[in-house]
């Protein structure tokens, strides 16, 4: 891994001189720190090799030596400013006792929970214990970064209660999560109970991640944008605010990035009321509009289209330069607007890193 001439200064300052932590703290670090959602994954041959060794995706997430290895692969290859824990947002329902598997070509499959008996059967207490292998992954990655890459920050994460509830009720991925959103209208008390359980379980899980070495936490709310405004306030903003408050009670200073995907104009209210300190922006968001819509000085992260990264060449260059131009002079973290897709050529990622590093 690359060495860092400022390593000793970083060790002295709490929050470290790490570029990602500085940007999340409101500093206009330039060139901006850079990492990519799903930076560990199938587009990398070295990931596919470890994935094949593990066999199954959950086995990969729960074998710390393998999960730590794939977390670090993109750091070695590209020198990103952050390593993100290799795991999945659905490991929380898994740790709550909901049967989960990842079927080849089909994505995640869960036994749906749609009534009081099924929801009542889920465990909230003990989630951090059942997630022990995932916490061990964080400890190992943090030890390696501390020894070899002190400029690189470690990000832990969870899904936001609403997005995780979507998968838990639906039992699978989808486009509209009709069963989950239908339940939220038909039986808001029951849906609210599930959301409260997720707030509690995710609080435990995220605090345990901070204690295991995560320096930043990110909340993925991939399906937030499905909701009309009143539902968005009730199921996205309010539970996120509760979760953030609960985590901050134990970890007052840890930066939390919210990613309310496809929130559109609701982004402004989310930014003001959720309590997160930084915002991940999806591909549809206009960066200059977002900068005007959020509290002054709030760090923004995003939002290159993953398909521009697949295309590469002049298209990639134009899109990346436009994002840099829009965000120059304000706290910004360069990222994609959604996860890397498997067909991404690894050399396009290398080209993007060179371009962003040149400012
Ligand atoms: O970003 C990273 O590199 C860290 C690891 C990470 C994964 N999933 C690994 C993964 C993170 C942060 C996630 C988040 C996640 N998982 C989200 C939120 C972000 C988003 O993409 O909207 C969601 C909705 C999930 C649920 C999930 N996991 C789905 C729908 C799928 C199947 C789709 C797919 O890409 O296969 C997964 C599987 C998954 N999670 C893979 C990876 C690398 C692919 C598994 C494989 O190797 O076969």
């Amino acid at each position: 891994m690359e060495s860092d001439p400022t390593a000793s200064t970083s060790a002295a300052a709490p929050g470290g001189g790490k570029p990602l932590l500085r940007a999340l703290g409101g500093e206009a670090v330039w060139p901006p720190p850079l990492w990519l959602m799903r930076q560990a994954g199938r587009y990398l041959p070295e990931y596919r090799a470890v994935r094949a060794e593990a066999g199954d995706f959950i086995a990969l997430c729960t074998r710390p030596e393998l999960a730590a290895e794939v977390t670090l692969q993109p750091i070695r290859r590209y020198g990103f400013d952050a390593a993100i824990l290799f795991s999945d947002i659905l490991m929380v329902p898994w740790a709550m006792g909901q049967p989960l598997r990842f079927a080849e070509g089909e994505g995640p499959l869960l036994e749906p929970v749609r009534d009081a008996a099924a929801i009542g059967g889920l465990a909230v207490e003990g989630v951090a214990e059942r997630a022990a292998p995932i916490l061990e992954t964080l400890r190992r990655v943090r030890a390696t970064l501390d020894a070899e890459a002190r400029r690189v920050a470690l990000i832990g994460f969870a899904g936001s209660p609403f997005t995780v509830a979507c998968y838990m009720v639906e039992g699978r991925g989808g486009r509209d999560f009709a069963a989950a959103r239908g339940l939220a209208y038909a039986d808001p008390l029951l849906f609210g109970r599930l959301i409260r359980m997720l707030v509690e379980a995710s609080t435990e899980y995220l605090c345990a991640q901070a204690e295991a070495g995560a320096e930043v936490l990110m909340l993925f709310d991939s399906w937030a944008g499905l909701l009309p405004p009143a539902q968005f306030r009730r199921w996205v903003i309010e539970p996120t605010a509760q979760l953030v408050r609960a985590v901050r009670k134990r970890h007052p200073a840890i930066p939390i990035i919210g990613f309310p995907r496809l929130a559109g104009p609701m982004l402004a209210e989310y930014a003001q009321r959720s309590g997160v300190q930084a915002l991940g922006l999806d591909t549809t968001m206009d960066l200059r509009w977002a900068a005007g819509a959020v509290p002054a000085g709030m760090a923004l992260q995003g939002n290159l289209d993953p398909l521009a990264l697949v295309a590469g060449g002049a298209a990639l260059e134009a899109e990346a330069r436009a994002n840099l131009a829009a965000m120059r002079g304000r706290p910004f973290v360069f990222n994609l607007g959604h996860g890397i897709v498997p067909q991404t050529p690894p050399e396009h990622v290398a080209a993007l890193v060179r371009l962003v590093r040149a400012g």
Side-chain angles (χ1 to χ4, degrees):
M1 261 178 264
E2 61 193 291
S3 67
D4 176 357
T6 62
S8 55
T9 346
S10 316
K18 299 188 180 192
L20 180 74
L21 300 180
R22 287 167 47 208
L24 295 177
E27 205 182 310
V29 179
W30 212 262
L34 158 74
W35 69 280
L36 303 179
M37 290 192 278
R38 289 279 179 98
Q39 62 191 17
R42 284 168 297 195
Y43 77 107
L44 288 178
E46 60 268 35
Y47 170 85
R48 294 196 298 271
V50 177
R51 173 82 166 72
E53 186 189 335
D56 147 68
F57 180 71
I58 295 179
L60 177 53
C61 293
T62 51
R63 283 180 62 185
E65 75 284 11
L66 299 184
E69 167 60 22
V70 296
T71 302
L72 289 163
Q73 284 171 345
I75 309 304
R76 292 197 200 100
R77 194 189 258 260
Y78 300 114
F80 289 125
D81 292 286
I84 180 162
L85 166 68
F86 188 84
S87 182
D88 196 85
I89 64 166
L90 299 178
M91 295 311 283
V92 165
W94 173 83
M96 292 169 83
Q98 186 175 16
L100 165 70
R101 64 195 177 86
F102 285 83
E104 222 49 68
E106 270 194 275
L109 295 173
L110 301 107
E111 246 166 58
V113 289
R114 296 185 183 174
D115 56 31
I119 290 172
L122 298 165
V124 168
E125 262 162 57
V127 160
E129 283 74 28
R130 277 184 298 280
I134 297 171
L135 302 171
E136 174 59 19
T137 301
L138 282 168
R139 277 184 218 102
R140 289 178 186 218
V141 172
R142 182 62 191 274
T144 304
L145 296 179
D146 284 351
E148 298 175 34
R150 309 202 72 144
R151 193 183 49 73
V152 179
L154 179 55
I155 303 175
F157 70 89
S160 289
F162 174 69
T163 284
V164 175
C166 278
Y167 285 95
M168 293 176 82
V169 173
E170 208 74 27
R172 56 187 312 131
R175 283 176 194 287
D176 63 359
F177 291 89
R181 293 195 301 116
L183 180 65
Y185 285 113
D187 193 346
L189 288 182
L190 183 62
F191 192 72
R193 181 169 167 213
L194 176 59
I195 292 284
R196 266 200 315 283
M197 291 168 82
L198 284 166
V199 168
E200 244 180 85
S202 309
T203 299
E204 282 311 306
Y205 180 57
L206 288 168
C207 286
Q209 289 189 38
E211 285 141 32
E215 299 168 283
V216 174
L217 299 172
M218 180 153 164
L219 295 172
F220 287 91
D221 216 340
S222 305
W223 300 105
L226 291 177
L227 295 174
Q231 296 276 299
F232 186 99
R233 292 184 186 106
R234 182 169 186 182
W235 304 123
V236 171
I237 295 180
E238 192 44 44
T240 302
Q242 286 166 6
L243 176 51
V244 168
R245 269 198 304 274
V247 170
R248 288 258 166 78
K249 257 191 211 154
R250 275 158 64 184
H251 297 279
I254 195 159
I256 302 177
I257 308 170
F259 179 51
R261 195 168 75 91
L262 303 176
M266 291 306 286
L267 184 78
E269 238 178 277
Y270 180 97
Q272 279 151 22
R273 294 184 38 217
S274 65
V276 302
Q277 164 162 19
L279 282 177
L281 306 177
D282 66 76
T283 49
T284 65
M285 190 60 71
D286 182 81
L287 289 178
R288 287 193 171 89
W289 179 85
V294 307
M298 182 178 247
L300 298 177
Q301 168 177 287
N303 74 342
L304 185 80
D305 191 337
L307 293 178
L309 189 56
V310 173
L316 170 60
E317 204 172 303
E319 295 291 320
R321 284 197 199 289
N323 284 0
L324 289 168
M327 292 288 99
R328 183 180 281 277
R330 74 174 322 291
F332 179 55
V333 178
F334 197 102
N335 206 315
L336 301 176
H338 203 189
I340 291 192
V341 293
Q343 69 269 31
T344 305
E347 61 275 18
H348 291 185
V349 178
L352 175 66
V353 172
R354 282 195 299 276
L355 193 150
V356 174
R357 294 271 194 248

